Amino acid sequence: MVGSALVRRHIGRRFVALRTQAALTQEQAANALQRARATLGRIEDGDERVRFRDVDVRAMLDLYGANSQEREMLLALTAETRNGRKKSWWHDYTESDLPAWFGLYVSLEDSAQTISQYEAELIPGLLQTRSYAKQINSMPPGYTDEEEIERRVHVRLERQSLLTRPRAPHLTAILNEAVLHRPVGGEAVMAEQLDHLLEVTQQASVSIRILPWSAGVHGGMGASAFALLDFPADPRTGEPLEPSLVYADTLTGAMYLNKADEVGAYRLVWDDLQKRALDEAKSRKMISAASKGFSGA
């Protein structure tokens, strides 16, 4: 569940981006909307006191020339701030290219400073090859049609540009050793995927470590797969622009955890995984050996 403050700040950032794209100052936008500049400022700051009326949101989207996907996303997000339901908006709302509950994660991932990810069963999406991603998105058989699989694979590959842009977030991925040996898509697909892992470890923004079977009992056994996101600090205050959060997805939805005790629990798990995982050099050797096993080299 996403806390209201996080959603509101996210809404504010999206409105700022749209206004900037429309080449409007805050004062110009307020005048055009016949709203007080202070009101627009509170919206963009993610102020908890703002009450989003659908008619006002639509007027802002019209003024800023928002595209259809941005309109649908912001209308859904602002609607969530008006209802008191425990059920979050992403359970009912979908976009054309990816589920909205995942769309929010992509936006947060894009603004993170560090991404700490643990996977027990598969290669993380940011590190997958096309062939591997297609196999993963085809599971379980019959759940997703071929057109939707292709859309999801396309989005997954597009996301990977995040790791090569200037000021890319730093991704540290800890993978259970089983991930290296599970033959997803067959030997050729796995050899290509593991070689790709070796290639991306050359990027300064990526660190891959393997949790060997010899590590025994570890914190991740009780937590399952998750990503821990930490955000940049405000240069004026030194405080993070967003509270750290934990993301964990399922077949049909996701959890966003940003309460201090929840994040603290997962940070303890992450610390334990780091202590037990192989260092980067030993991890590369293990990945290389697994790749040779699939390729027959």
Side-chain angles (χ1 to χ4, degrees):
M1 304 289 284
V2 181
S4 175
L6 182 59
V7 172
R8 286 175 177 274
R9 285 195 294 273
H10 183 64
I11 290 169
R13 284 196 304 276
R14 294 182 90 116
F15 273 129
V16 169
L18 287 172
R19 177 173 60 74
T20 301
Q21 183 178 309
L24 292 169
T25 66
Q26 196 176 79
E27 183 174 3
Q28 289 170 332
N31 289 337
L33 294 165
Q34 298 184 331
R35 306 289 298 276
R37 182 177 176 179
T39 300
L40 196 60
R42 285 195 292 271
I43 290 172
E44 294 184 354
D45 290 340
D47 194 309
E48 289 278 353
R49 295 169 294 176
V50 173
R51 297 179 65 84
F52 289 103
R53 296 192 310 161
D54 196 62
V55 64
D56 296 328
V57 174
R58 290 181 183 278
M60 293 176 71
L61 294 169
D62 289 342
L63 176 64
Y64 298 156
N67 63 36
S68 59
Q69 288 192 353
E70 195 73 31
R71 290 177 69 89
E72 290 180 64
M73 177 68 82
L74 278 165
L75 285 167
L77 282 166
T78 52
E80 175 62 16
T81 69
R82 296 195 298 270
N83 68 51
R85 300 177 303 151
K86 295 295 184 183
K87 186 179 179 182
S88 290
W89 61 270
W90 59 74
H91 290 282
D92 297 324
Y93 174 72
T94 57
E95 289 182 319
S96 59
D97 287 331
L98 72 169
W101 46 262
F102 187 62
L104 178 58
Y105 174 73
V106 170
S107 297
L108 294 168
E109 179 184 69
D110 189 63
S111 58
Q113 184 171 55
T114 63
I115 304 169
S116 305
Q117 188 162 4
Y118 169 64
E119 285 287 356
E121 289 289 334
L122 49 81
I123 305 294
L126 286 173
L127 305 174
Q128 291 176 7
T129 62
R130 170 177 286 279
S131 297
Y132 188 98
K134 186 169 184 178
Q135 292 293 324
I136 295 298
N137 279 280
S138 299
M139 294 291 112
Y143 180 72
T144 309
D145 62 41
E146 190 65 28
E147 184 178 352
E148 179 63 18
I149 290 170
E150 286 298 326
R151 279 199 297 266
R152 293 188 180 192
V153 170
H154 174 74
V155 170
R156 183 160 294 190
L157 297 178
E158 285 291 308
R159 281 173 58 212
Q160 295 178 2
S161 63
L162 173 73
L163 299 176
T164 56
R165 73 180 189 191
R167 297 185 180 181
H170 191 278
L171 170 66
T172 299
I174 296 181
L175 312 180
N176 193 307
E177 184 178 348
V179 172
L180 305 182
H181 302 290
R182 189 178 301 284
V184 174
E187 294 184 349
V189 171
M190 280 303 298
E192 178 190 41
Q193 174 62 76
L194 295 177
D195 286 344
H196 178 66
L197 281 187
L198 292 172
E199 289 177 14
V200 295
T201 59
Q202 304 303 313
Q203 297 174 203
S205 61
V206 178
S207 172
I208 299 174
R209 299 176 61 191
I210 305 302
L211 183 71
W213 286 321
S214 59
V217 177
H218 58 85
M221 296 173 77
S224 190
F226 66 91
L228 173 61
L229 274 59
D230 290 298
F231 298 92
D234 186 330
R236 298 167 300 176
T237 65
E239 295 295 320
L241 293 173
E242 294 291 350
S244 299
L245 67 86
V246 173
Y247 171 85
D249 63 8
T250 66
L251 180 64
T252 59
M255 292 190 302
Y256 292 78
L257 309 173
N258 70 338
K259 293 180 180 178
D261 58 339
E262 294 170 333
V263 174
Y266 277 87
R267 208 174 289 282
L268 286 174
V269 170
W270 182 254
D271 290 344
D272 183 68
L273 291 170
Q274 286 192 302
K275 291 176 184 176
R276 298 174 187 275
L278 300 176
D279 63 27
E280 292 182 59
K282 291 179 180 178
S283 296
R284 281 193 293 270
K285 288 181 180 179
M286 183 174 283
I287 295 169
S288 179
S291 175
K292 290 175 181 178
F294 282 112
S295 64

